[in-house]
Amino acid sequence: MLYNLSRLGYKCNDSFLLCGLCGPLLCLPPVFIPAMDCFKTVIFISAILLPLESLGSDRPNFILLFADDLGFGDLGCYGHPSSITPNLDKLAAEGLRFTDFYATSPVCSPSRASLLTGRYQTRSGVYPGVFYPGSRGGLPLNETTIAEVLKPLGYATALVGKWHLGVGPGGTFLPTRQGFDHYLGVPYSHDQGPCHNLTCFPPDIKCFGFCDLGAVAVPLMANETIKQQPVSFLDLEKAYSDFATGFISSSAKRKQPFFLYYPSHHTHYPQYAGKMAAGASSRGPFGDALMEFDLTVGNLIQALRDSGVDNNTLVFFTADNGPELMRRSRGGNSGLLKCGKGTTYDGGMREPAIARWPRRIKPGVTHELASTLDVLPTIASIAGAALPRVPLDGVDMGDILFRHGPSKRKAMFYYPTDPREKYGVFAVRLGKYKANYYTRGATHSDSTPDQDCHLTAFLKRHDPPLLFDLEADPSENYDLNPARYQDVLQRIRAAKADFEEGMLFGESQVEKGIDPALEPCCTPACTPKPSCCACG
């Protein structure tokens, strides 16, 4: 196998030289460097190239961290004055911090589908809204996840945390059916259970809110088996941390490259935290939950160092959607951005993002446009993996990460929580300009002073679209005069038309409905449900 070594900063050993004759840089003995027919050269050297391992470097490892309902302004490194996030802040100081990074949806399940597949949720059918414990549908098995991209290369794969891409009949859609060797976590959102029984913080303080009181208690699953029901939230983060650090350690000992995906429940409402973080922050329950997540991030980085693989691991952090502002101080903060979760304003979809890889990624800040869609093609490119043979919406971020160069992504398209072909995208960002063709508030963003964010801000079409310069006005307060920006609007219209022409909506998985019999229960034949579903 031939390796593109320059991409990762690798060098040849003393007996070989780098040759760019045939495009990718290859390790060749000096005698073969003189100009030769490229095809014959590649055929010849394919037998003599040393494998990557014998050049002193293993395939790189990947850790993907995904926070829940975290706003653009929630981390210390993004300007929050009282968040205690030293490990994430250090990740940013040692890595590359993004200022213009986007999720594809302002709610959970579709955003996660796009992250794992590199495709808009409209293609996979993960819309409208989110999955529930008894949902019949899930992320279709013919979609290819990052884990499935890496498996053919010998990667160990694990997921710890919140799945929220369906359970289905007999566990059809669980992570273990989607490329992950190991799974420990809650298969959906932790508020999709009887919240009145959920103890969030010691000592025994009940959560606020009226959740799904008729649902089964929230289960903790190990692979496809329910390990505990209801889950002990006070002990959950430690279980996740132990599982994840153990996976890193065991993979490193086997010298097996690994992919670890950690989609946290933090900081989704209702918050919880164990003894190490409860009451420890100055930001209240939200701050405690965020602090607990940050502690786990620190444990993972320490595990990389202890295992000797820190310099060979790309750690990428971002979040699924903006903050749930309806929860007030317990709902997160979108910083300068307008509105939050549930809306296609930037507060609902623009997220903090950090990439760290010692000796590979130079620390700094990038203002280049990027998205969760770009994670799969970037990881595939770095690992040398084949891309799925389907239309992808993501692009390789390598130029941004390794050269602080320009993005291959020129536009971002904003879909609402309930995309429909008749409406198309609600907004388009092209370069620094954003055009809002439709606007609408959301329950998730109620309670803010901005009336545009509220549920009572009903769907409104804008013709011409509202146009904003996001560099000068990230809060989307001052729409530009369309008469003066006809060239910009024309370019945006052309990008929108081209994108929508190539968008084929998949069958909605969420609209397949709900069957209460599919709700995970550790004692399936028990009665009366849901109260009898208890174990561990």
Side-chain angles (χ1 to χ4, degrees), residues 334-504:
S334 54
L336 284 173
L337 307 182
K338 186 179 179 75
C339 301
K341 182 176 180 178
T343 75
T344 53
Y345 294 110
D346 262 35
M349 296 175 61
R350 189 166 166 183
E351 292 298 323
I354 302 166
R356 173 190 179 271
W357 190 351
R359 302 181 186 178
R360 298 287 188 269
I361 294 176
K362 183 180 178 181
V365 177
T366 178
H367 304 294
E368 294 297 316
L369 190 61
S371 168
T372 51
L373 293 163
D374 305 331
V375 174
L376 181 147
T378 302
I379 287 178
S381 176
I382 292 170
L387 290 172
R389 294 183 179 180
V390 293
L392 290 179
D393 299 300
V395 297
D396 180 4
M397 294 185 288
D399 287 339
I400 301 175
L401 298 181
F402 303 116
R403 287 172 281 283
H404 289 200
S407 175
K408 293 179 180 178
R409 172 169 296 283
K410 304 307 176 187
M412 193 69 206
F413 302 95
Y414 301 63
Y415 278 113
T417 59
D418 53 347
R420 289 288 184 264
E421 288 184 84
K422 79 178 272 193
Y423 295 113
V425 297
F426 269 32
V428 178
R429 176 171 178 176
L430 185 68
K432 68 176 183 176
Y433 295 103
K434 179 182 179 184
N436 288 325
Y437 287 86
Y438 294 92
T439 55
R440 185 177 64 188
T443 303
H444 295 297
S445 287
D446 256 332
S447 84
T448 68
D450 189 342
Q451 297 298 313
D452 291 341
C453 307
H454 295 188
L455 178 64
T456 52
F458 301 118
L459 179 66
K460 186 175 182 180
R461 181 172 180 263
H462 303 279
D463 185 14
L466 303 178
L467 184 65
F468 300 97
D469 178 344
L470 292 181
E471 288 185 1
D473 178 26
S475 303
E476 298 172 73
N477 284 329
Y478 312 108
D479 53 305
L480 303 173
N481 184 343
R484 296 178 57 188
Y485 290 88
Q486 284 300 313
D487 59 330
V488 173
L489 289 171
Q490 180 58 39
R491 293 201 306 270
I492 291 176
R493 277 194 293 268
K496 179 175 182 288
D498 183 63
F499 172 77
E500 291 181 334
E501 184 179 359
M503 175 54 65
L504 180 63

Side-chain angles (χ1 to χ4, degrees), residues 5 20 61 94 164 172 246 258 273 326 353 381 399 436 444 447 489 495 512 521:
L5 304 171
N61 310 302
E94 296 175 347
H164 213 181
T172 301
F258 62 83
M326 67 174 287
S381 176
D399 287 339
N436 288 325
H444 295 297
S447 84
L489 289 171
K512 289 184 175 181
C521 180

Side-chain angles (χ1 to χ4, degrees), residues 29 37 83 112 222 260 363 368 431 435 477:
D37 178 77
S83 289
R112 289 158 197 270
L260 173 64
E368 294 297 316
N477 284 329

